[in-house]
């Protein structure tokens, strides 16, 4: 009698890397978690920092890649719809009004998915990420609020395949979602929903400590923070108080090496490959910003519409001069005295870019900075790693020669 061994997919024979070992993308690794699983088998194609393939993955996920003749798509990617929204009853403790957590809870409650990839914090450190597959709304709610640190969300992918789960929602930032899209056909799923947030300037846990200590007056009591549309960083403290520090007063010299090299090399701020993106930067202060990229994203948003107040997006001001001036200032590590930074913050808040123009301001400032970073540190990668839409955005500005 001959024994028949079931076909084991090739990737299941691969071995995850040990924690702390050097990753294939080396210093550019964003610790997305893929290499903590046997899906490391696909790392050369899947890693966002080894193989930039946003256009190809957009075509796979949304049916087309972004239209390079449409300037809005350079910035915001493929979209069917865009709006500002907020929960009528915000979820206490969420980063904004909790739209992300609400969608995930609804999807579980209605049985659309069996599990949700999201990130809770470790029991002893509110900023230490702990990725989980949430199977109940309570577990989703325990993951609310940003962990402003690199988070290995994909480290739980082996558990997804082993559990036999067929319908999954993944919540994540751009680099995690790029790698996820690249391996999604291997996960054994019938349906994958992807809910993304924009992401920029992330840090390691040690980097976060340095950022808090350099910038906040009470680093140990910070519960969350955000770089806001009023050109200030808002730190929320344990007692509910809000500390505001103007962007222009940040100690750029000290903070220059605080951001992770992956984030200084990233051109997927707006999470191009998610079905639905929920951020804040294209919306008025206090509102969230929603980009529906495809029919799956629309299905997800429709589930929570009755719980939301919405309005159209708007745009005013002109970002270009402010971005152009920020380029040499950042390169030279210029820090304004606090009084001047506060004054500049007030002026720019009154007359500066708002709505989608604020989002463009933020994208332009980060893409020019990141382009110069990649040019300086990895010139050999520049051409392939920077997507065409980002080259066009950066091409609007005068950059220093070297
Ligand atoms: P909540 O309901 O509070 O849920 C937050 C969700 O985020 C949770 O499900 C959790 O699993 C997930 N999450 C938390 N931390 C991480 C992490 N490190 N990696 C992956 N997933 C995580 N939006 C902008 O418009 N502009 C920005 O510049 C911007 N920067 C961001 C930087 C970081 C590091 C992160 C994580 C998000 C950023 N966002 C940005 C998104 C924004 O801050 C909110 O997360 C988003 O609007 C959702 O708010 P919410 O109240 O609906 O989320
Ligand atoms: Fe691996 Fe992700 Fe790091 Fe790339 S970014 S090397 S896929 S862990």
């Amino acid at each position: 009698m001959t024994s028949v061994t079931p076909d084991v997919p090739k990737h299941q024979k691969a071995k995850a890397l040990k924690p702390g070992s050097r990753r294939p993308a080396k210093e550019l690794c964003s610790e997305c978690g893929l290499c903590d699983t046997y899906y490391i088998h696909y790392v050369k194609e899947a890693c966002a920092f080894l193989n930039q393939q946003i256009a190809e993955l957009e075509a796979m996920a949304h049916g087309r890649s972004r239209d390079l003749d449409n300037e809005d798509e350079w910035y915001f990617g493929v979209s069917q719809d865009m709006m500002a929204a907020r929960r009528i009853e915000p979820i206490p403790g969420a980063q904004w009004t909790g739209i992300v957590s609400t969608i995930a809870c609804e999807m579980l409650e209605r049985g659309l998915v069996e599990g949700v990839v999201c990130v809770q914090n470790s029991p002893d450190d509110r900023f230490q990420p702990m990725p989980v597959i949430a199977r109940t709304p309570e577990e989703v709610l325990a993951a609310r609020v940003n962990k402003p640190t690199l988070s290995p969300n994909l480290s739980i992918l082996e558990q997804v395949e082993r559990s036999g789960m067929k319908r999954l929602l993944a919540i994540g930032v751009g680099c995690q979602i790029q790698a996820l899209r690249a391996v999604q056909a291997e996960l054994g799923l019938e349906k994958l929903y992807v809910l993304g947030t924009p992401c920029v300037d992330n840090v390691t846990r040690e980097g976060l400590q340095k950022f808090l200590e350099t910038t906040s007056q009470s680093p140990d009591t910070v519960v969350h923070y955000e770089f806001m549309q009023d050109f200030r960083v808002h730190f929320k403290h344990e007692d509910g108080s809000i500390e505001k520090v103007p962007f222009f007063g940040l100690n750029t010299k000290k903070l220059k090496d605080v951001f992770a090299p992956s984030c200084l090399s990233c051109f997927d701020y707006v999470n191009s490959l998610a079905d639905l993106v929920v951020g804040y930067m294209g919306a008025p202060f206090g509102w969230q910003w929603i980009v529906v990229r495809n029919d799956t994203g629309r299905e997800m948003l429709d589930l929570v519409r009755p719980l939301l107040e919405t309005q159209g997006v708007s745009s005013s001001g002109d970002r270009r001069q402010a971005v152009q001036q920020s380029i040499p200032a950042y390169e030279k590590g210029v820090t304004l005295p606090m009084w001047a930074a506060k004054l500049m913050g007030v002026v720019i808040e009154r007359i500066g870019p708002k709505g989608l123009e604020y989002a463009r301001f933020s994208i332009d400032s980060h893409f020019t900075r990141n382009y110069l970073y990649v040019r300086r540190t990895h010139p050999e990668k520049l051409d392939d790693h920077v997507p065409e839409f980002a080259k066009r955005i950066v091409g609007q500005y005068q950059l220093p020669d070297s």
Side-chain angles (χ1 to χ4, degrees), residues 91 93-102 104 116-120 129 140-141 143-153 171-173 176 195-203 225-227 269 278-282 287-289 358 362 366:
I91 296 182
Q95 183 71 15
W96 281 76
T97 71
I99 294 178
V100 166
S101 299
T102 307
V116 177
V117 175
C118 54
V119 52
Q120 300 176 349
V140 167
L141 289 173
R144 72 194 186 286
V145 80
N146 291 357
K147 283 31 136 209
T149 43
L150 301 178
S151 173
N153 281 24
I171 300 173
V173 298
Q176 299 157 359
L195 176 50
T197 67
C199 182
V200 81
D201 289 350
N202 217 338
V203 286
Y225 69 85
E226 195 83 82
F227 285 72
Y269 193 168
V278 180
Y280 65 89
M281 66 183 175
W287 291 71
Q288 293 188 255
W289 173 56
Y358 174 84
S362 194
H366 287 95

Side-chain angles (χ1 to χ4, degrees), residues 113-174:
V113 292
E114 297 149 87
V116 177
V117 175
C118 54
V119 52
Q120 300 176 349
N121 56 290
S122 75
D124 47 356
D125 179 354
R126 66 165 73 101
F127 292 130
Q128 184 67 48
M130 191 176 78
V132 296
I133 306 175
R135 291 170 184 264
T136 63
E138 291 72 29
E139 287 167 355
V140 167
L141 289 173
R144 72 194 186 286
V145 80
N146 291 357
K147 283 31 136 209
T149 43
L150 301 178
S151 173
N153 281 24
L154 302 188
S155 61
I156 44 70
L157 280 190
E158 271 187 45
Q159 289 174 42
V160 171
E161 193 178 3
R162 291 209 166 112
S163 70
M165 207 175 263
K166 294 291 170 212
R167 304 181 69 83
L168 182 77
L169 167 66
I171 300 173
V173 298

